[in-house]
């Protein structure tokens, strides 16, 4: 649908729009997303629950938009991480870190551990792990390898003590990280998803006629989707002030 949309834009406007040139700081695009107008957007139209979360987070920049799909998963939802992220993003809850040294890894996600890379960064910052050692820790947490986790816990605490960090503080941090590590998402993977979702949202915001036409053409074999997208057309038109 994206490339059909770009072809329509070129045909109707004479604009050879390149996805890589789309700006990631477009306020109107974030306003459309925050309004819950996510039908047809990659990864964001999966369920009413996802739409509700998007409207609660109200992303107004890419750093806040990017974690949505990583947070809307059973682990973060069940643990309350999603709620913590939302409350902290909206200023309803103080951003806290289990130890000051974690701010370096967690400041962009309001003190919530979302990505596997954050687990690895904490291991480097707190315990002096190399990237290779941190990747072993990530693997042990993600795969729930009990013996390997025990070994990694001891190594993590010892490394922290060598950096003059209290052993009890290091043990507390490790025990907090372990459940996060079980369901943490790879940031690189998530970023690729978020870029495509945002690019589609930008097209929907600035070229709504072409986007919705391409979307419905692509889904023309599914009458239930067509009905949903017709309803979305009306909502988008109202939001953007387009007369149908």
């Amino acid at each position: 649908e994206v490339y059909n949309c770009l072809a329509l834009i070129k045909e109707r406007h004479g604009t050879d729009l390149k996805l890589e040139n789309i700006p990631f700081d477009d306020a109107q695009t974030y306003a459309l997303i925050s309004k819950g107008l996510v039908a047809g957007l990659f990864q964001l139209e999966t369920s009413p629950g996802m739409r509700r979360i998007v409207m609660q987070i109200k992303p107004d920049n890419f750093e806040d938009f990017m974690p949505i799909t990583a947070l809307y998963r059973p682990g973060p939802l069940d643990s309350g991480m999603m709620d913590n992220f939302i409350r902290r993003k909206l200023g309803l809850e103080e951003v806290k870190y289990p130890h000051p040294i974690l701010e370096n890894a967690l400041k962009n996600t309001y003190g919530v551990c979302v990505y596997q890379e954050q687990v690895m960064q904490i291991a480097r910052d707190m315990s002096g792990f190399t990237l290779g050692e941190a990747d072993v820790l990530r693997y042990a947490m993600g795969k729930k390898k009990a013996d390997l986790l025990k070994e990694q816990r001891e190594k993590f605490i010892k490394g922290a003590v060598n950096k003059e960090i209290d052993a009890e503080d290091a043990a507390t941090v490790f025990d907090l990280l372990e459940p996060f590590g079980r369901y943490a998402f790879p940031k690189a993977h998530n970023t690729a998803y978020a870029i495509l979702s945002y690019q589609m949202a930008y097209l929907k915001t600035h070229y709504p006629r072409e986007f919705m036409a391409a979307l419905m053409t692509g889904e023309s074999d599914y009458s239930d989707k067509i009905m949903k997208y017709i309803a979305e057309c009306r909502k988008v038109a109202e939001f953007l002030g387009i007369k149908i």
Side-chain angles (χ1 to χ4, degrees):
E1 287 90 353
V2 171
Y3 290 99
N4 287 340
C5 176
L6 293 175
L8 280 173
I9 292 169
K10 187 173 183 179
E11 178 185 325
R12 298 190 73 234
H13 300 279
T15 302
D16 190 13
L17 184 65
K18 303 294 184 185
L19 290 178
E20 58 268 26
N21 294 334
I22 287 175
F24 282 86
D25 60 353
D26 185 69
Q28 194 173 16
T29 298
Y30 289 117
L32 178 134
I33 293 167
S34 298
K35 193 75 175 176
L37 299 174
V38 295
L41 302 185
F42 178 65
Q43 291 287 305
L44 298 183
E45 68 165 354
T46 53
S47 71
M50 173 66 88
R51 179 174 179 271
R52 185 172 63 252
I53 292 299
V54 169
M55 293 175 71
Q56 288 177 329
I57 290 179
K58 293 181 173 30
D60 53 13
N61 60 78
F62 195 69
E63 282 287 350
D64 289 344
F65 175 72
M66 194 166 59
I68 291 173
T69 53
L71 286 166
Y72 190 70
R73 298 164 65 235
L77 288 171
D78 293 343
S79 69
M81 283 172 54
M82 171 63 89
D83 292 334
N84 289 339
F85 183 93
I86 292 171
R87 287 197 298 269
R88 292 177 182 188
K89 194 268 179 187
L90 298 178
L92 302 175
E93 178 181 306
E94 182 184 355
V95 176
K96 296 179 180 178
Y97 303 98
H99 189 280
I101 206 167
L102 271 63
E103 183 176 357
N104 179 48
L106 304 182
K107 61 185 176 183
N108 288 338
T109 51
Y110 304 99
V112 175
C113 190
V114 178
Y115 305 116
Q116 291 178 355
E117 289 87 343
Q118 289 176 307
V119 173
M120 295 170 66
Q121 185 64 53
I122 290 167
R124 296 189 71 196
D125 292 343
M126 190 164 221
S127 301
F129 278 36
T130 65
L131 281 173
E133 291 170 331
D135 193 49
V136 172
L137 174 63
R138 174 204 60 78
Y139 172 81
M141 289 180 172
K143 299 298 182 181
K144 305 175 188 176
K145 300 282 187 180
D147 291 343
L148 186 55
L149 271 173
K150 182 179 179 182
E151 175 187 308
Q152 290 296 308
R153 188 177 191 273
E154 293 171 358
K155 185 175 180 178
F156 185 91
I157 295 170
K158 183 178 179 180
V161 170
N162 288 340
K163 294 186 71 172
E164 300 183 352
I165 294 171
D166 186 81
E168 287 188 13
D169 289 345
T172 298
V173 168
F174 188 93
D175 292 342
L176 287 171
L177 284 181
E178 186 183 341
F180 291 160
R182 293 177 197 161
Y183 43 71
F185 213 57
K187 186 176 184 180
H189 185 93
N190 194 72
T191 302
Y193 276 11
I195 287 172
L196 180 54
S197 300
Y198 176 86
Q199 288 171 335
M200 293 178 76
Y202 181 91
L203 294 175
K204 186 175 181 179
T205 302
H206 293 279
Y207 300 95
R209 299 167 180 83
E210 292 79 9
F211 180 86
M212 295 306 297
L215 181 65
M216 289 192 284
T217 298
E219 301 290 355
S220 57
D221 290 339
Y222 304 97
S223 59
D224 57 334
K225 287 190 175 183
I226 292 298
M227 294 303 294
K228 180 176 78 171
Y229 293 144
I230 288 173
E232 184 78 354
C233 281
R234 295 192 180 101
K235 294 175 185 175
V236 172
E238 182 182 357
F239 175 74
L240 295 175
I242 297 172
K243 185 177 179 181
I244 296 182

